[in-house]
Amino acid sequence: MDFKLDKSHLLQQQLFRNFAETEIKPLAKEMDESEQYDLDLLAKMHKYGFFGIPYSKEYGGCGSDTLAYTLCMEEVSKVDASTGITISVHTSLCCSCINNFGTEEQKQKYLRPLIDGSKTGCFGLTETNAGSDVQGAQTVAVKDGDEWVLNGSKIFTTNSGFADTCVVFALTDRTVPAAKGLTAFIVDLKEMPGITVSENIERMGIRAASNCIVTYENVRVPADRVLGPVGKGFKIAMGALDCGRIGIAAQAVGIAQGALNEAIKYGKERKQFGKPINSFQNTQFKMAEMQTKIDAARLMTWRAAIAEDNHEAFGPLAAMAKLFASDVANEVTRFAVQAMGGYGYCREYPVERMMRDAKITEIYEGTSEVMKMVISGSMKLK
Ligand SMILES: Cc1cc2nc3c(=O)[nH]c(=O)nc-3n(C[C@H](O)[C@H](O)[C@H](O)COP(=O)(O)OP(=O)(O)OC[C@H]3O[C@@H](n4cnc5c(N)ncnc54)[C@H](O)[C@@H]3O)c2cc1C
């Protein structure tokens, strides 16, 4: 493994950084306060290919890789974590399922518009009684001729307020555990009768991201929209979450680096006891400690991304990266607020938003406790 980026990745990183600084950063505060994602920004990112980074040009993607995708996730999350999750759920959860399990026809029909910039995707797995434990799923799909009839409700479906396509999971066999009875379906949120999307769920952080309850009532889904084999939905969902965790780790690295950068900038200017606060050794040592942890989290994230790009087993590596990076994001953002004193606590400065945004990285796409289950499960402890 190489510990530095090659020319192509450095170039992509610079492009993502420039876009984040000029197009996303100026909107981040207003989007957080209004709890609305800016749809013009969404359209612009689609146009520039931000939603198809690791996917083949054959289907309209950028033909890049997971490592480049983590660079994008870090750069956008440095200035706005809501943008990070918007890209991440579309790319790693929705598109990865279709890319990895779709037939050629499904890829042409459903993946192409998602990665060529025409449509936005989401992923519906979580239900009120099925969070960490997918076994609690109650959404069902019953076969009726050439169609499946879908009934149930999914909570916390990110992007669903404006998304077109959703990969949704439903029980097609209730006589077996969900691990064997779940099936994945590709549905059109805006076009299929019987689908209702709630208002945005009010949240502590990533407030600009769209996150709603999606209800399915007698939704008729043609059989050619079944993704992968019937009964293999659990495997598809877990595979997507493995991919997704790399993106969340990168999001956490971005939030942490963004907050530390703000604290460094502030500490150069802010004077107390006649000196800039960055000249106190206590501040310098703390900054050094935070940067070291961020670098470690970044390297773990790149390691997981490179393993995925090399088609090696990456699930536990992704879980380690997410576990560590999300912890670092929370520690660093807390520090950044502290280092900026009362001003860090005010909404005028972005670190208070970053501290609120950091918390979710320990919860979604598997909580930190679930990450420890994945990691310990791979350690042959018994
Ligand atoms: C903003 C946001 C966006 C989201 N986006 C999506 C999305 O796009 N699609 C989607 O399908 N889902 C999404 N989710 C759902 C998210 O993945 C779940 O919230 C998460 O997996 C945890 O499930 P839960 O909230 O039901 O918590 P629970 O599973 O009820 O967990 C509660 C607590 O118990 C702990 N716990 C549970 N079981 C164990 C155990 N066996 N051992 C030790 N501790 C345990 C957990 O770690 C946690 O601390 C999103 C959630 C949020 C808040």
Side-chain angles (χ1 to χ4, degrees), residues 9 76 100 110 127 206 231 237 243 271 322 366 376-377:
H9 285 100
V76 303
N100 295 339
Y110 307 116
E127 300 181 15
I206 56 160
C243 301
K271 285 192 181 141
K322 181 182 181 287
S376 59

Side-chain angles (χ1 to χ4, degrees), residues 21-282:
E21 281 292 322
T22 55
E23 305 285 345
I24 306 174
K25 194 174 179 178
L27 303 176
K29 183 173 189 290
E30 167 57 25
M31 291 200 297
D32 176 66
E33 302 224 327
S34 65
E35 300 184 49
Q36 289 282 332
Y37 202 79
D38 187 309
L39 296 182
D40 291 336
L41 174 62
L42 186 79
K44 215 175 261 182
M45 292 192 296
H46 269 301
K47 189 172 143 205
Y48 288 125
F50 280 54
F51 285 74
I53 294 167
Y55 296 109
S56 165
K57 286 185 177 165
E58 196 191 331
Y59 300 112
C62 295
S64 200
D65 54 15
T66 310
L67 181 59
Y69 162 67
T70 66
L71 300 176
C72 174
M73 282 296 295
E74 178 178 342
E75 293 307 324
V76 303
S77 303
K78 252 189 205 172
V79 300
D80 181 34
S82 290
T83 297
I85 193 59
T86 304
I87 296 173
S88 165
V89 165
H90 167 97
T91 308
S92 340
L93 296 187
C94 180
C95 295
S96 81
C97 289
I98 308 177
N99 189 57
N100 295 339
F101 292 94
T103 60
E104 186 52 37
E105 204 185 331
Q106 287 175 329
K107 287 186 195 179
Q108 291 296 349
K109 207 165 162 189
Y110 307 116
L111 184 64
R112 175 175 283 283
L114 284 167
I115 62 184
D116 75 4
S118 327
K119 289 190 172 180
T120 308
C122 61
F123 175 88
L125 178 65
T126 306
E127 300 181 15
T128 44
N129 291 321
S132 302
D133 182 11
V134 180
Q135 301 298 332
Q138 286 166 348
T139 297
V140 292
V142 177
K143 190 94 192 277
D144 183 20
D146 279 348
E147 293 175 326
W148 290 84
V149 183
L150 202 59
N151 276 291
S153 184
K154 297 286 177 179
I155 192 166
F156 295 134
T157 307
T158 301
N159 290 352
S160 55
F162 48 71
D164 307 276
T165 307
C166 185
V167 172
V168 64
F169 297 84
L171 287 172
T172 44
D173 185 350
R174 276 184 280 181
T175 64
V176 294
K180 290 189 175 156
L182 271 186
T183 299
F185 297 88
I186 307 168
V187 299
D188 277 340
L189 288 189
K190 291 176 179 162
E191 286 167 23
M192 289 184 161
I195 300 181
T196 318
V197 181
S198 75
E199 290 294 309
N200 220 359
I201 299 169
E202 293 181 348
R203 280 159 284 128
M204 171 202 283
I206 56 160
R207 296 194 333 171
S210 157
N211 191 264
C212 313
I213 298 169
V214 184
T215 307
Y216 300 84
E217 208 180 332
N218 293 323
V219 180
R220 302 195 76 86
V221 184
D224 63 2
R225 284 171 172 270
V226 170
L227 182 61
V230 170
K232 293 286 181 217
F234 183 78
K235 187 177 164 213
I236 295 173
M238 293 305 118
L241 288 169
D242 281 343
C243 301
R245 286 164 191 159
I246 300 176
I248 303 306
Q251 180 192 36
V253 171
I255 298 171
Q257 189 67 68
L260 186 60
N261 291 353
E262 291 293 333
I264 292 171
K265 190 168 76 185
Y266 180 85
K268 283 181 188 172
E269 306 292 331
R270 173 69 172 170
K271 285 192 181 141
Q272 287 294 279
F273 301 95
K275 292 182 200 168
I277 55 171
N278 278 5
S279 65
F280 299 129
Q281 195 175 53
N282 172 59

